[in-house]
Amino acid sequence: MSSVLGVVLPIFGLILAGYLCRRTGRLGETAAAELNRFVVWLCLPALLFRTTATARWEEIWHPGFIAAVTLPTLLLFAVTVGYRLRGRRRLVDASIDGLGAAYANTGYVGIPLSLLVLGEAGLAPALIATLIVVCVLFAIAVVCIEVGLQDEPSFVQALAKVFKALARNPLVVSPLVGALWALGGAPLDGPFDDFLRLLGDATTPCALVSLGLFLAQKQSGSAEGAWGLVGLKLLVHPLITWVLAFHVFALPPLWAKSALLMSALPTGTGPYMLAEFYGREAAVVSRTVLLSTLGSVVTLSLCLYWL
């Protein structure tokens, strides 16, 4: 448990810093939204571009591991979205809730925890899991949200508006441009790489401070659905991954353990960032991030003990 606490305590510290800054008036009412815009338009695109631009096919192509991480992630996202839609929730909000159930905090918690538990060998699977969550899952959620925002009577017109919106969305464009950069084979180094790295490194701290600022404000929406998303993320997600990694695909021990560890992580700030970016009610996803991070101290400790 001390190992897990050492990784998650800085997360609470950054959320608390934002919370206190808002409560004491050091940052104003619009600080959460403005800081989140900084993350979405500058920091996260830089991180996505740099991650895909420096990825090497031979390093990330591990089909069994990719399947064991991707299938449960997309399944939980799809099931949550479908369930929320049955409850008459709009596709936009249902997609954000789906992210809350499936979006693992691989970057800020997963990578340092993997290095701590599995050593340097655990870095490669953690990076692959990060690519899957940040690029694949995030992109699918953005597409669903853009589709849900369209109200055109004609399918062709709605589709055209979706593609136009996606073409202007930095969270979709940046990883695609990064992938093209990687295919071109040009090195990414020097001042440009330093610029991207500095911006990318600011993504998680700024997002967590923004989350703390949001939590300090008076909430108008209900956060009742947060516990269900937390249960899916911390209990159902690792259970499905355990079956796939250890029994269906029978991965090598290191890769199987890493897949299970990545699935047991708490919800990252991605759902909250999208909720703020699109001006949706963020009460449910903000509570999900906070509660799942708290709960992961126990569930991750049990997972590490079992491993």
Coordinates of all heavy atoms in Angstrom, one line a residue, residues 197-284:
R197 N 8.0 18.6 -25.3 CA 8.1 17.9 -24.1 C 7.6 18.7 -22.9 O 6.9 18.3 -22.0 CB 9.5 17.4 -23.9 CG 9.8 16.7 -22.6 CD 11.2 16.2 -22.5 NE 12.1 17.2 -22.7 CZ 12.5 18.2 -21.9 NH1 12.0 18.2 -20.7 NH2 13.4 19.1 -22.2
L198 N 8.1 20.0 -22.9 CA 7.7 20.9 -21.8 C 6.2 21.1 -21.8 O 5.6 21.1 -20.7 CB 8.4 22.3 -22.0 CG 9.9 22.3 -21.7 CD1 10.5 23.6 -22.2 CD2 10.1 22.1 -20.2
L199 N 5.5 21.3 -22.9 CA 4.1 21.4 -23.0 C 3.4 20.1 -22.5 O 2.5 20.1 -21.8 CB 3.6 21.8 -24.4 CG 3.5 23.3 -24.7 CD1 3.1 23.5 -26.2 CD2 2.6 24.0 -23.8
G200 N 3.9 19.0 -23.1 CA 3.3 17.7 -22.7 C 3.4 17.4 -21.3 O 2.4 16.8 -20.7
D201 N 4.5 17.7 -20.6 CA 4.7 17.4 -19.2 C 3.7 18.2 -18.3 O 3.5 17.8 -17.2 CB 6.1 17.7 -18.8 CG 7.1 16.7 -19.3 OD1 6.7 15.7 -19.8 OD2 8.3 17.0 -19.3
A202 N 3.2 19.3 -18.9 CA 2.3 20.2 -18.1 C 0.8 19.6 -18.1 O 0.0 20.2 -17.4 CB 2.3 21.6 -18.6
T203 N 0.6 18.6 -19.0 CA -0.8 18.2 -19.2 C -1.5 17.7 -17.9 O -2.5 18.2 -17.5 CB -0.8 17.0 -20.2 OG1 -0.3 17.5 -21.4 CG2 -2.3 16.5 -20.4
T204 N -0.9 16.7 -17.2 CA -1.5 16.1 -16.1 C -1.6 17.1 -14.9 O -2.6 17.2 -14.2 CB -0.8 14.8 -15.7 OG1 -0.9 13.9 -16.7 CG2 -1.4 14.2 -14.4
P205 N -0.5 17.8 -14.5 CA -0.6 18.7 -13.4 C -1.6 19.8 -13.6 O -2.4 20.1 -12.7 CB 0.8 19.3 -13.3 CG 1.7 18.3 -13.9 CD 0.9 17.7 -15.0
C206 N -1.7 20.4 -14.8 CA -2.7 21.4 -15.0 C -4.1 20.9 -15.0 O -5.0 21.5 -14.5 CB -2.4 22.1 -16.4 SG -0.9 23.1 -16.4
A207 N -4.3 19.6 -15.6 CA -5.6 19.0 -15.6 C -6.1 18.7 -14.1 O -7.2 18.9 -13.8 CB -5.6 17.8 -16.4
L208 N -5.2 18.3 -13.3 CA -5.5 18.0 -11.9 C -5.8 19.2 -11.1 O -6.8 19.2 -10.3 CB -4.4 17.1 -11.3 CG -4.2 15.7 -11.8 CD1 -3.0 15.1 -11.2 CD2 -5.4 14.9 -11.4
V209 N -5.1 20.3 -11.3 CA -5.4 21.5 -10.6 C -6.7 22.1 -11.1 O -7.5 22.6 -10.3 CB -4.2 22.5 -10.9 CG1 -4.6 23.9 -10.4 CG2 -2.9 22.1 -10.2
S210 N -7.0 22.0 -12.4 CA -8.3 22.4 -13.0 C -9.4 21.6 -12.3 O -10.5 22.1 -12.0 CB -8.3 22.2 -14.5 OG -9.5 22.5 -15.0
L211 N -9.2 20.3 -12.1 CA -10.2 19.4 -11.5 C -10.5 19.9 -10.1 O -11.6 20.0 -9.6 CB -9.7 18.0 -11.5 CG -10.6 17.0 -10.8 CD1 -12.0 17.0 -11.4 CD2 -10.0 15.6 -10.9
G212 N -9.4 20.2 -9.3 CA -9.6 20.7 -8.0 C -10.3 22.1 -8.0 O -11.2 22.3 -7.1
L213 N -10.1 22.9 -8.9 CA -10.8 24.2 -9.0 C -12.3 23.9 -9.3 O -13.1 24.6 -8.7 CB -10.2 25.0 -10.2 CG -8.8 25.6 -10.0 CD1 -8.2 26.1 -11.3 CD2 -8.9 26.8 -9.0
F214 N -12.6 23.0 -10.1 CA -14.0 22.6 -10.4 C -14.7 22.1 -9.2 O -15.8 22.4 -8.9 CB -14.0 21.7 -11.6 CG -15.4 21.2 -11.9 CD1 -16.2 22.0 -12.7 CD2 -15.9 20.0 -11.4 CE1 -17.5 21.6 -13.0 CE2 -17.2 19.6 -11.7 CZ -18.0 20.4 -12.5
L215 N -14.0 21.2 -8.5 CA -14.6 20.6 -7.3 C -14.9 21.6 -6.2 O -15.8 21.4 -5.4 CB -13.7 19.5 -6.8 CG -13.6 18.2 -7.6 CD1 -12.5 17.3 -7.1 CD2 -14.9 17.5 -7.7
A216 N -14.2 22.7 -6.2 CA -14.4 23.7 -5.2 C -15.6 24.6 -5.5 O -16.1 25.3 -4.6 CB -13.1 24.6 -5.1
Q217 N -16.1 24.5 -6.7 CA -17.3 25.3 -7.1 C -18.5 24.6 -6.6 O -18.6 23.4 -6.5 CB -17.3 25.6 -8.6 CG -16.1 26.3 -9.1 CD -16.0 26.4 -10.6 OE1 -16.9 25.9 -11.3 NE2 -15.0 27.0 -11.2
K218 N -19.6 25.4 -6.5 CA -20.9 24.8 -6.2 C -21.4 24.0 -7.4 O -21.5 24.5 -8.5 CB -21.9 26.0 -5.8 CG -23.2 25.4 -5.3 CD -24.1 26.6 -4.9 CE -25.5 26.0 -4.4 NZ -26.4 27.1 -4.0
Q219 N -21.7 22.8 -7.1 CA -22.1 21.9 -8.2 C -23.6 22.0 -8.4 O -24.4 21.8 -7.5 CB -21.7 20.4 -7.9 CG -20.3 20.3 -7.6 CD -19.4 20.7 -8.7 OE1 -19.6 20.3 -9.8 NE2 -18.3 21.4 -8.4
S220 N -24.0 22.1 -9.7 CA -25.5 22.2 -10.0 C -26.0 20.9 -10.4 O -27.2 20.6 -10.3 CB -25.7 23.2 -11.1 OG -24.9 22.8 -12.3
G221 N -25.2 20.0 -10.9 CA -25.7 18.7 -11.4 C -25.5 17.6 -10.4 O -24.8 17.8 -9.3
S222 N -26.2 16.5 -10.6 CA -26.1 15.3 -9.7 C -24.9 14.4 -10.0 O -24.5 14.3 -11.2 CB -27.4 14.5 -9.8 OG -27.2 13.3 -9.1
A223 N -24.2 13.9 -9.0 CA -23.1 13.0 -9.2 C -23.4 11.6 -8.8 O -22.5 10.8 -8.5 CB -21.9 13.5 -8.4
E224 N -24.7 11.2 -8.9 CA -25.2 9.9 -8.4 C -24.5 8.8 -9.2 O -24.3 7.7 -8.7 CB -26.7 9.8 -8.5 CG -27.4 10.7 -7.5 CD -28.9 10.6 -7.6 OE1 -29.4 9.7 -8.5 OE2 -29.6 11.3 -6.9
G225 N -24.3 9.0 -10.5 CA -23.8 7.9 -11.4 C -22.3 7.7 -11.2 O -21.8 6.7 -11.8
A226 N -21.6 8.4 -10.4 CA -20.2 8.3 -10.3 C -19.8 6.9 -9.7 O -18.8 6.3 -10.1 CB -19.6 9.4 -9.4
W227 N -20.6 6.5 -8.7 CA -20.2 5.2 -8.0 C -20.2 4.0 -9.0 O -19.4 3.1 -8.9 CB -21.1 5.0 -6.8 CG -20.7 5.8 -5.6 CD1 -21.4 6.8 -5.1 CD2 -19.5 5.6 -4.8 NE1 -20.7 7.4 -4.0 CE2 -19.6 6.7 -3.8 CE3 -18.4 4.8 -4.8 CZ2 -18.6 6.8 -2.8 CZ3 -17.4 4.9 -3.9 CH2 -17.5 6.0 -2.9
G228 N -21.2 4.0 -9.9 CA -21.3 3.0 -10.9 C -20.1 3.0 -11.8 O -19.5 1.9 -12.1
L229 N -19.6 4.1 -12.2 CA -18.5 4.2 -13.1 C -17.2 3.8 -12.3 O -16.3 3.1 -12.9 CB -18.3 5.7 -13.6 CG -19.5 6.2 -14.4 CD1 -19.1 7.6 -14.9 CD2 -19.7 5.3 -15.6
V230 N -17.1 4.2 -11.0 CA -16.0 3.8 -10.2 C -15.9 2.2 -10.1 O -14.8 1.6 -10.2 CB -16.0 4.4 -8.8 CG1 -15.0 3.9 -7.9 CG2 -15.9 5.9 -9.0
G231 N -17.1 1.6 -9.9 CA -17.1 0.1 -9.8 C -16.7 -0.5 -11.0 O -15.9 -1.5 -11.0
L232 N -17.1 0.0 -12.2 CA -16.7 -0.6 -13.5 C -15.2 -0.5 -13.7 O -14.6 -1.4 -14.1 CB -17.5 0.1 -14.6 CG -19.0 -0.2 -14.8 CD1 -19.6 0.7 -15.8 CD2 -19.2 -1.6 -15.2
K233 N -14.7 0.7 -13.3 CA -13.3 1.0 -13.6 C -12.4 0.1 -12.7 O -11.4 -0.4 -13.1 CB -13.0 2.5 -13.4 CG -11.5 2.9 -13.7 CD -11.3 2.7 -15.2 CE -9.9 2.4 -15.6 NZ -9.4 1.1 -15.2
L234 N -12.7 0.1 -11.4 CA -11.8 -0.6 -10.4 C -12.0 -2.0 -10.2 O -11.1 -2.8 -9.8 CB -11.9 0.1 -9.1 CG -11.5 1.6 -9.0 CD1 -11.5 2.1 -7.6 CD2 -10.0 1.8 -9.6
L235 N -13.2 -2.5 -10.6 CA -13.5 -4.0 -10.3 C -13.7 -4.8 -11.6 O -13.1 -5.8 -11.8 CB -14.7 -4.1 -9.4 CG -14.6 -3.4 -8.0 CD1 -15.9 -3.5 -7.3 CD2 -13.5 -4.1 -7.2
V236 N -14.7 -4.3 -12.4 CA -15.0 -5.0 -13.7 C -13.9 -5.0 -14.7 O -13.5 -6.0 -15.3 CB -16.3 -4.5 -14.3 CG1 -16.7 -5.2 -15.5 CG2 -17.4 -4.5 -13.3
H237 N -13.3 -3.8 -14.9 CA -12.2 -3.7 -15.9 C -11.0 -4.7 -15.6 O -10.6 -5.4 -16.5 CB -11.7 -2.2 -15.9 CG -10.9 -1.9 -17.1 ND1 -10.6 -0.6 -17.4 CD2 -10.4 -2.7 -18.1 CE1 -9.9 -0.6 -18.5 NE2 -9.8 -1.8 -19.0
P238 N -10.5 -4.7 -14.4 CA -9.4 -5.6 -14.1 C -9.8 -7.1 -14.2 O -9.0 -7.9 -14.6 CB -8.9 -5.2 -12.7 CG -9.9 -4.4 -12.1 CD -10.6 -3.7 -13.2
L239 N -11.0 -7.4 -13.8 CA -11.5 -8.8 -13.9 C -11.5 -9.3 -15.3 O -11.0 -10.4 -15.6 CB -12.9 -8.8 -13.2 CG -13.6 -10.2 -13.2 CD1 -12.7 -11.2 -12.4 CD2 -15.0 -10.2 -12.7
I240 N -12.1 -8.5 -16.2 CA -12.1 -8.9 -17.6 C -10.7 -9.0 -18.2 O -10.4 -10.0 -18.9 CB -12.9 -7.9 -18.5 CG1 -14.4 -7.9 -18.0 CG2 -12.9 -8.3 -19.9 CD1 -15.2 -6.8 -18.7
T241 N -9.9 -8.1 -17.9 CA -8.5 -8.1 -18.3 C -7.7 -9.3 -17.8 O -6.9 -9.9 -18.5 CB -7.7 -6.8 -17.9 OG1 -8.5 -5.7 -18.4 CG2 -6.3 -6.8 -18.5
W242 N -7.9 -9.7 -16.6 CA -7.3 -10.8 -16.0 C -7.7 -12.1 -16.7 O -6.8 -12.9 -17.0 CB -7.7 -11.0 -14.5 CG -7.3 -12.2 -13.9 CD1 -6.0 -12.6 -13.5 CD2 -8.2 -13.4 -13.5 NE1 -6.0 -13.9 -12.9 CE2 -7.3 -14.3 -12.9 CE3 -9.5 -13.6 -13.6 CZ2 -7.8 -15.6 -12.5 CZ3 -10.0 -14.8 -13.2 CH2 -9.2 -15.8 -12.6
V243 N -8.9 -12.3 -17.1 CA -9.3 -13.4 -17.8 C -8.7 -13.5 -19.2 O -8.1 -14.5 -19.6 CB -10.9 -13.4 -18.0 CG1 -11.3 -14.6 -19.0 CG2 -11.6 -13.6 -16.7
L244 N -8.6 -12.3 -19.9 CA -8.0 -12.3 -21.2 C -6.5 -12.5 -21.2 O -6.0 -13.3 -22.0 CB -8.4 -11.0 -21.9 CG -9.8 -10.7 -22.3 CD1 -10.0 -9.3 -22.8 CD2 -10.3 -11.8 -23.3
A245 N -5.9 -11.8 -20.3 CA -4.4 -11.8 -20.3 C -3.8 -13.1 -19.8 O -2.8 -13.6 -20.3 CB -3.9 -10.6 -19.4
F246 N -4.4 -13.7 -18.7 CA -3.9 -14.9 -18.1 C -4.4 -16.2 -18.7 O -3.8 -17.2 -18.6 CB -4.1 -14.9 -16.6 CG -3.2 -13.9 -15.9 CD1 -3.5 -12.6 -15.7 CD2 -2.0 -14.3 -15.3 CE1 -2.7 -11.7 -15.1 CE2 -1.2 -13.4 -14.7 CZ -1.5 -12.1 -14.5
H247 N -5.6 -16.1 -19.2 CA -6.3 -17.4 -19.6 C -6.6 -17.5 -21.1 O -6.3 -18.5 -21.7 CB -7.6 -17.6 -18.8 CG -7.3 -17.7 -17.4 ND1 -6.8 -18.8 -16.7 CD2 -7.6 -16.7 -16.4 CE1 -6.7 -18.5 -15.4 NE2 -7.1 -17.3 -15.2
V248 N -7.1 -16.4 -21.7 CA -7.5 -16.5 -23.1 C -6.2 -16.3 -24.0 O -6.0 -17.2 -24.9 CB -8.5 -15.4 -23.5 CG1 -8.8 -15.4 -25.0 CG2 -9.8 -15.6 -22.7
F249 N -5.4 -15.3 -23.8 CA -4.2 -15.1 -24.6 C -3.0 -15.7 -24.0 O -2.0 -15.8 -24.7 CB -4.0 -13.6 -24.9 CG -5.2 -12.9 -25.6 CD1 -6.0 -12.0 -25.0 CD2 -5.3 -13.2 -27.0 CE1 -7.1 -11.4 -25.7 CE2 -6.4 -12.6 -27.7 CZ -7.3 -11.7 -27.0
A250 N -3.0 -16.0 -22.7 CA -1.9 -16.6 -22.0 C -0.6 -15.9 -22.3 O 0.4 -16.4 -22.8 CB -1.8 -18.1 -22.4
L251 N -0.6 -14.6 -22.0 CA 0.6 -13.8 -22.2 C 1.7 -14.2 -21.3 O 1.5 -14.8 -20.3 CB 0.2 -12.3 -21.9 CG -0.9 -11.7 -22.8 CD1 -1.2 -10.2 -22.3 CD2 -0.6 -11.7 -24.3
P252 N 3.0 -13.9 -21.8 CA 4.1 -14.1 -20.9 C 3.9 -13.3 -19.5 O 3.2 -12.3 -19.5 CB 5.3 -13.4 -21.7 CG 4.9 -13.5 -23.1 CD 3.4 -13.3 -23.1
P253 N 4.4 -13.8 -18.4 CA 4.1 -13.3 -17.1 C 4.3 -11.7 -17.0 O 3.4 -11.1 -16.5 CB 5.2 -14.0 -16.2 CG 5.4 -15.3 -16.9 CD 5.3 -15.0 -18.4
L254 N 5.3 -11.2 -17.5 CA 5.5 -9.7 -17.4 C 4.4 -9.0 -18.1 O 3.8 -8.0 -17.6 CB 6.9 -9.3 -18.0 CG 7.1 -7.8 -18.1 CD1 7.3 -7.2 -16.8 CD2 8.3 -7.5 -19.1
W255 N 4.1 -9.4 -19.3 CA 3.0 -8.7 -20.1 C 1.7 -8.9 -19.5 O 0.8 -8.0 -19.5 CB 3.1 -9.1 -21.6 CG 4.3 -8.7 -22.2 CD1 5.6 -9.3 -22.2 CD2 4.5 -7.5 -23.0 NE1 6.5 -8.5 -22.9 CE2 5.9 -7.4 -23.4 CE3 3.7 -6.4 -23.3 CZ2 6.4 -6.4 -24.1 CZ3 4.2 -5.4 -24.1 CH2 5.5 -5.4 -24.5
A256 N 1.4 -10.1 -19.0 CA 0.1 -10.4 -18.4 C -0.1 -9.5 -17.1 O -1.1 -8.9 -16.9 CB 0.0 -11.9 -18.0
K257 N 1.0 -9.5 -16.3 CA 0.9 -8.7 -15.1 C 0.7 -7.2 -15.4 O 0.0 -6.5 -14.7 CB 2.2 -8.9 -14.3 CG 2.3 -10.2 -13.6 CD 3.7 -10.4 -12.9 CE 3.8 -11.8 -12.3 NZ 5.1 -11.9 -11.6
S258 N 1.4 -6.7 -16.4 CA 1.3 -5.3 -16.8 C -0.1 -5.0 -17.3 O -0.6 -3.9 -17.0 CB 2.4 -5.0 -17.9 OG 2.3 -3.6 -18.2
A259 N -0.7 -5.9 -18.1 CA -2.0 -5.7 -18.6 C -3.0 -5.5 -17.4 O -3.9 -4.7 -17.4 CB -2.4 -6.8 -19.5
L260 N -2.9 -6.4 -16.4 CA -3.8 -6.4 -15.3 C -3.5 -5.1 -14.5 O -4.5 -4.4 -14.1 CB -3.5 -7.6 -14.4 CG -4.4 -7.7 -13.1 CD1 -5.8 -7.7 -13.5 CD2 -4.0 -8.9 -12.3
L261 N -2.3 -4.7 -14.3 CA -2.0 -3.5 -13.6 C -2.5 -2.3 -14.2 O -3.1 -1.4 -13.6 CB -0.5 -3.4 -13.4 CG 0.1 -2.4 -12.4 CD1 -0.4 -2.7 -11.0 CD2 1.6 -2.4 -12.4
M262 N -2.4 -2.2 -15.6 CA -2.9 -1.0 -16.3 C -4.5 -0.9 -16.2 O -5.0 0.1 -16.2 CB -2.5 -1.1 -17.8 CG -1.0 -1.0 -18.1 SD -0.3 0.6 -17.6 CE 0.5 0.1 -16.0
S263 N -5.1 -2.1 -16.2 CA -6.6 -2.1 -16.1 C -7.1 -1.7 -14.8 O -8.3 -1.3 -14.6 CB -7.1 -3.5 -16.5 OG -6.8 -4.4 -15.6
A264 N -6.3 -1.9 -13.7 CA -6.7 -1.7 -12.3 C -6.5 -0.2 -11.9 O -6.8 0.2 -10.8 CB -6.0 -2.6 -11.4
L265 N -6.0 0.6 -12.8 CA -5.7 2.0 -12.5 C -7.0 2.8 -12.4 O -8.0 2.5 -12.9 CB -4.8 2.6 -13.6 CG -3.5 2.0 -13.8 CD1 -2.8 2.6 -15.1 CD2 -2.6 2.3 -12.6
P266 N -6.9 3.9 -11.6 CA -8.1 4.8 -11.5 C -8.4 5.6 -12.8 O -7.6 5.6 -13.7 CB -7.7 5.8 -10.4 CG -6.2 5.8 -10.5 CD -5.8 4.4 -10.9
T267 N -9.5 6.2 -12.9 CA -9.9 7.0 -14.0 C -9.0 8.2 -14.1 O -8.8 8.9 -13.1 CB -11.4 7.5 -13.9 OG1 -12.2 6.3 -13.8 CG2 -11.8 8.3 -15.1
G268 N -8.5 8.5 -15.3 CA -7.7 9.7 -15.6 C -8.5 10.9 -15.8 O -9.8 10.9 -15.7
T269 N -7.9 12.0 -16.1 CA -8.6 13.3 -16.2 C -9.2 13.5 -17.6 O -9.8 14.6 -17.8 CB -7.6 14.5 -15.9 OG1 -6.5 14.4 -16.7 CG2 -7.2 14.5 -14.4
G270 N -9.0 12.6 -18.5 CA -9.5 12.8 -19.8 C -11.0 13.1 -19.9 O -11.4 14.0 -20.6
P271 N -11.9 12.3 -19.2 CA -13.3 12.6 -19.3 C -13.7 14.0 -18.8 O -14.5 14.6 -19.3 CB -13.9 11.5 -18.4 CG -12.9 10.4 -18.3 CD -11.6 11.1 -18.5
Y272 N -13.0 14.4 -17.7 CA -13.3 15.7 -17.1 C -12.8 16.8 -18.1 O -13.6 17.8 -18.3 CB -12.5 15.9 -15.8 CG -12.4 17.3 -15.4 CD1 -13.6 18.0 -14.9 CD2 -11.3 18.1 -15.5 CE1 -13.5 19.3 -14.5 CE2 -11.2 19.4 -15.2 CZ -12.3 20.0 -14.7 OH -12.2 21.4 -14.3
M273 N -11.7 16.6 -18.8 CA -11.2 17.6 -19.8 C -12.2 17.8 -20.9 O -12.5 18.9 -21.4 CB -9.8 17.2 -20.3 CG -8.7 17.4 -19.3 SD -7.1 17.2 -20.0 CE -7.0 15.5 -20.3
L274 N -12.7 16.6 -21.4 CA -13.7 16.7 -22.5 C -15.0 17.3 -22.0 O -15.6 18.1 -22.8 CB -14.0 15.3 -23.0 CG -13.0 14.7 -24.0 CD1 -13.5 13.4 -24.6 CD2 -12.6 15.7 -25.1
A275 N -15.5 17.0 -20.8 CA -16.7 17.6 -20.3 C -16.6 19.1 -20.3 O -17.5 19.9 -20.7 CB -17.0 17.0 -18.9
E276 N -15.4 19.6 -19.8 CA -15.2 21.1 -19.7 C -15.1 21.7 -21.1 O -15.6 22.7 -21.3 CB -14.0 21.3 -18.8 CG -14.2 21.4 -17.4 CD -14.9 22.6 -16.9 OE1 -14.3 23.7 -17.1 OE2 -16.1 22.5 -16.5
F277 N -14.3 21.0 -21.9 CA -14.1 21.5 -23.3 C -15.4 21.7 -24.1 O -15.5 22.7 -24.8 CB -13.1 20.6 -24.0 CG -12.8 21.0 -25.4 CD1 -12.1 22.1 -25.6 CD2 -13.2 20.2 -26.5 CE1 -11.7 22.5 -26.9 CE2 -12.9 20.6 -27.8 CZ -12.1 21.8 -28.0
Y278 N -16.3 20.7 -23.9 CA -17.5 20.8 -24.7 C -18.7 21.4 -23.9 O -19.8 21.5 -24.3 CB -18.0 19.4 -25.1 CG -17.2 18.8 -26.3 CD1 -16.1 17.9 -26.1 CD2 -17.4 19.3 -27.6 CE1 -15.4 17.5 -27.1 CE2 -16.7 18.8 -28.7 CZ -15.7 17.9 -28.4 OH -14.9 17.4 -29.5
G279 N -18.4 22.0 -22.7 CA -19.4 22.7 -21.9 C -20.5 21.8 -21.4 O -21.6 22.2 -21.2
R280 N -20.1 20.5 -21.1 CA -21.1 19.6 -20.5 C -21.1 19.6 -19.0 O -20.1 20.0 -18.4 CB -20.9 18.2 -21.1 CG -20.7 18.1 -22.5 CD -21.8 18.7 -23.4 NE -23.1 18.0 -23.2 CZ -24.1 18.3 -23.9 NH1 -24.1 19.3 -24.8 NH2 -25.3 17.6 -23.8
E281 N -22.1 19.0 -18.4 CA -22.1 18.8 -16.9 C -20.9 17.9 -16.5 O -20.9 16.7 -16.9 CB -23.4 18.3 -16.4 CG -23.5 18.0 -15.0 CD -23.1 19.2 -14.1 OE1 -23.6 20.3 -14.3 OE2 -22.1 19.1 -13.3
A282 N -20.1 18.4 -15.6 CA -18.9 17.6 -15.3 C -18.9 17.0 -13.9 O -17.9 16.5 -13.4 CB -17.6 18.5 -15.4
A283 N -20.1 17.1 -13.2 CA -20.2 16.6 -11.8 C -19.9 15.2 -11.7 O -19.1 14.7 -10.8 CB -21.5 17.0 -11.2
V284 N -20.5 14.3 -12.6 CA -20.3 12.9 -12.5 C -18.8 12.5 -12.7 O -18.2 11.8 -12.0 CB -21.2 12.2 -13.5 CG1 -20.9 10.7 -13.5 CG2 -22.7 12.4 -13.1

